[in-house]
Amino acid sequence: MNASGTLPADTHIHTALCRHAKGLPIDYARAAFAKGLPEICITDHAPAPGGFDAGSRMGAEFFPVYIESVAEAARAYPGRVKLGIEADYHAGCEAYLPRFLDSAPFDLVLGSIHFIGDWGFDNPATIERWSGADLRQVWSEYFDLICRMAKTGQFDAVSHFDLPKKFGHRLPEPDLRELLAPVLEVIAAAGMALELNTGGRRKPVGEIYPSLFVLKLVREHGIPILFGSDAHVPAETGDSFADAVSLAREAGFDSYVRFEQRKNRPFPL
Ligand code: ZN
Ligand code: FE
Ligand code: FE
Ligand code: ZN
């Protein structure tokens, strides 16, 4: 809870269309608003041509269904349900992403990195590739991709920023600080926001993305934050948000942002 007793908006939510989540936008809206959340933004995994990570996202033919299902929830709760998308940055996405992002009136485009080359490093199915990996090398390649993503200018916010820690492969703080300095410069220069994603709480690492250590550096760079549960079932909306707000305040934040038509506006924390 914040000073005014309200929770922040939940701006990272999936739906059944991605085939690994349950429920429609209206179900997430109902659950979120019953918990007292002021606003939600639905951000399902974007369709991607060419078969990129096809198992984890809606097919392009379902995109109109997605738009309509979010619109239905927005009609039921006027002004409180926004249309977003979680888009992956990956090799080749520049060829189609601008046109795709122009094809719908998105309020928010989350930018995510789930692959380093052909390795879905956050996928439990390929966790064994971590055992032979050079930790600093993996984190460094991951942050290089974040920089490339930010420089495209196509994304509004960085999702689950320290995702490589998902299974507990944390980078020691001195290394992290060293790698992060240039990355945070690039994110700040791109005018992007960065997400406090409580989904990490439900993963082996058991910790919000990003850590307090990282979040303090984010704050020092003047990068605004937003809050996302990364809900894949309606009950997960707003998950651990009181703790996320405490974390943000501890890092020195007194506001967060919500997005409308891809512009952000600050709200008090
Ligand atoms: Zn998902
Ligand atoms: Fe993601
Ligand atoms: Fe997500
Ligand atoms: Zn995600």
Side-chain angles (χ1 to χ4, degrees):
M1 292 287 169
N2 62 24
S4 55
T6 54
L7 294 165
D10 185 348
T11 49
H12 189 151
I13 291 174
H14 293 278
T15 79
L17 281 176
C18 69
R19 292 172 286 194
H20 59 272
K22 291 197 174 87
L24 295 169
I26 188 76
D27 303 315
Y28 286 88
R30 224 176 264 132
F33 300 146
K35 290 181 184 181
L37 298 184
E39 181 179 308
I40 60 169
C41 183
I42 307 292
T43 55
D44 215 351
H45 301 281
F52 168 77
D53 196 21
S56 303
R57 56 202 59 254
M58 68 184 97
E61 69 275 25
F62 289 108
F63 186 57
V65 178
Y66 177 64
I67 300 290
E68 176 46 33
S69 67
V70 177
E72 181 197 14
R75 285 193 294 273
Y77 298 96
R80 298 178 72 188
V81 179
K82 297 290 192 278
L83 173 66
I85 199 89
E86 179 177 5
D88 286 60
Y89 173 77
H90 62 97
C93 73
E94 290 98 328
Y96 69 85
L97 208 53
R99 210 174 336 129
F100 170 70
L101 296 179
D102 276 348
S103 73
F106 291 117
D107 291 303
L108 168 65
V109 177
L110 295 176
S112 296
I113 306 287
H114 296 108
F115 280 83
I116 296 171
D118 67 348
W119 179 28
F121 64 90
D122 76 323
N123 184 345
T126 56
I127 192 173
E128 83 287 348
R129 277 182 71 169
W130 275 102
S131 45
D134 174 338
L135 215 55
R136 182 169 163 126
Q137 182 64 27
V138 174
W139 278 86
S140 171
E141 285 179 33
Y142 171 79
F143 284 137
D144 281 351
L145 290 165
I146 294 273
C147 287
R148 277 197 245 167
M149 174 173 83
K151 285 175 179 170
T152 65
Q154 297 291 318
F155 304 87
D156 301 318
V158 182
S159 295
H160 39 63
F161 185 47
D162 59 358
L163 182 61
K165 76 179 177 186
K166 179 172 177 177
F167 304 118
H169 303 97
R170 287 194 184 79
L171 193 65
E173 288 179 352
D175 296 81
L176 201 49
R177 178 191 296 278
E178 200 180 305
L179 291 185
L180 274 177
V183 183
L184 292 171
E185 300 286 336
V186 171
I187 292 170
M192 292 174 77
L194 191 143
E195 174 190 74
L196 264 83
N197 182 312
T198 59
R201 271 286 176 85
R202 307 187 297 271
K203 305 300 181 196
V205 70
E207 188 182 288
I208 291 168
Y209 307 112
S211 65
L212 179 61
F213 176 81
V214 173
L215 200 57
K216 284 178 175 170
L217 298 173
V218 171
R219 171 83 186 112
E220 282 171 22
H221 282 77
I223 297 165
I225 51 165
L226 65 174
F227 291 81
S229 65
D230 217 336
H232 282 71
V233 293
E236 286 171 352
T237 56
D239 184 31
S240 298
F241 267 29
D243 292 342
V245 168
S246 301
L247 193 72
R249 295 181 72 90
E250 198 177 341
F253 288 93
D254 57 13
S255 68
Y256 76 104
V257 294
R258 298 183 200 168
F259 279 82
E260 185 164 5
Q261 292 178 15
R262 314 213 41 197
K263 300 229 176 336
N264 71 56
R265 202 150 64 88
F267 285 80
L269 261 187

